[in-house]
Amino acid sequence: MLSIGAVAAAAGVTPRVVRYYEQSGLLASERTAGGQRRYPESAIERVEFIQHLIRAGLTTEVIRDQLSCVNSRVATPDTIEKLRAQREHIARRAAELNSMEQRIADLIDAAHDSISAEDAASAHSHIATRARG
Amino acid sequence: MLSIGAVAAAAGVTPRVVRYYEQSGLLASERTAGGQRRYPESAIERVEFIQHLIRAGLTTEVIRDQLSCVNSRVATPDTIEKLRAQREHIARRAAELNSMEQRIADLIDAAHDSISAEDAASAHSHIATRARG
DNA sequence: GTAGAACATGACGCTAGTGTCACGGTCAAG
DNA sequence: CTTGACCGTGACACTAGCGTCATGTTCTAC
């Protein structure tokens, strides 16, 4: 059994985040006699999964519903419909991000050009240097 | 020149949000003699762009730097490096989203199977019905 | 059994955003 | 020149998803 610090470190978050997830009903924990949280290994992946979903723009409330279905291994048609909606939501976000990436790539190109125009030799070498990093 | 209400409506936000962006230094406006904000058509796209960047996980502070560079049409190597970092950030988010979409798709399939196993005939027809919606 | 790291709980702050209220000024139509 | 919709500033409250601090308890290793 893992401590909250171990789970948090492995998942790349702070203990605060793990407690917040528990408080939000996304994550359960056992307790020691002294009241400290203990988790199975699987909690690490679960925290990472939740993080991804949150970054995808889903709220903890929405995630709670989905995870409870995954936990209980019981899915109603309603749940499936929700999952489907979330999938669309995520797909839209992904499309937005791809478009943003393209726009930023264009900005980089434009900036690159403007620098080349201003100060071709030195700036260009700067860019070349940083482009590898 | 557009009023704040026109820009907000076209960008799918409230005037409050537009003012908030101006207050955050993300958006400039001209003023009428009476002090009301007037915007060029391009402000609509700009507000949408800012919205996308915020949803991509960038802070207003970070966005402000980038946009100021875009505005002034002057880019330092440092700015380019930041843009590049942001692009990577966004690309990572996009990759996460794609992975999430796949996982949710798997959940949908799994849920579909579990329902089929539980109550093949009726539940299956439910899913088929909703799948078209 | 004691030091000190880690943990528990609770509270407050932050950002991005929404809503709302106040109170007054502006703009465009008539 | 009035009417009414819209806009201005400012303020306050609330949300999610955390960071951070305060204060006290538990765990672990020596």
Side-chain angles (χ1 to χ4, degrees), chain A:
Chain A
M1 295 299 259
L2 305 171
S3 71
I4 190 171
V7 171
V13 300
T14 62
R16 174 74 172 88
V17 171
V18 177
R19 287 193 202 101
Y20 178 72
Y21 290 171
E22 177 169 330
Q23 186 188 326
S24 305
L26 305 180
L27 197 60
S29 65
E30 291 173 31
R31 299 293 184 124
T32 64
Q36 297 197 357
R37 295 173 177 82
R38 288 297 117 103
Y39 299 92
E41 299 268 344
S42 62
I44 297 168
E45 202 190 351
R46 183 159 174 136
V47 168
E48 288 170 347
F49 186 41
I50 295 169
Q51 281 265 302
H52 287 325
L53 290 175
I54 285 174
R55 283 205 282 263
L58 306 187
T59 67
T60 52
E61 196 183 342
V62 170
I63 297 171
R64 183 169 54 236
D65 295 347
Q66 307 309 287
L67 287 183
S68 71
C69 120
V70 175
N71 281 347
S72 61
R73 314 248 167 235
V74 174
T76 65
D78 185 59
T79 306
I80 293 184
E81 197 178 5
K82 283 184 185 168
L83 281 175
R84 218 178 278 283
Q86 252 115 276
R87 187 189 176 179
E88 271 178 41
H89 176 89
I90 288 176
R92 236 173 291 136
R93 277 279 198 285
E96 274 182 16
L97 283 183
N98 287 332
S99 138
M100 286 307 98
E101 192 188 348
Q102 186 54 55
R103 275 182 88 153
I104 291 184
D106 292 346
L107 286 182
I108 292 174
D109 288 347
H112 188 292
D113 291 349
S114 83
I115 284 185
S116 301
E118 278 173 32
D119 189 349
S122 71
H124 201 78
S125 69
H126 273 299
I127 290 167
T129 305
R130 289 160 191 279
R132 274 184 246 115

Side-chain angles (χ1 to χ4, degrees), chain B residues 19-40:
Chain B
R19 288 193 201 101
Y20 180 73
Y21 287 171
E22 178 170 330
Q23 188 189 327
S24 305
L26 304 181
L27 197 61
S29 64
E30 290 175 30
R31 299 292 185 124
T32 64
Q36 297 197 355
R37 296 172 177 82
R38 288 298 116 102
Y39 300 91

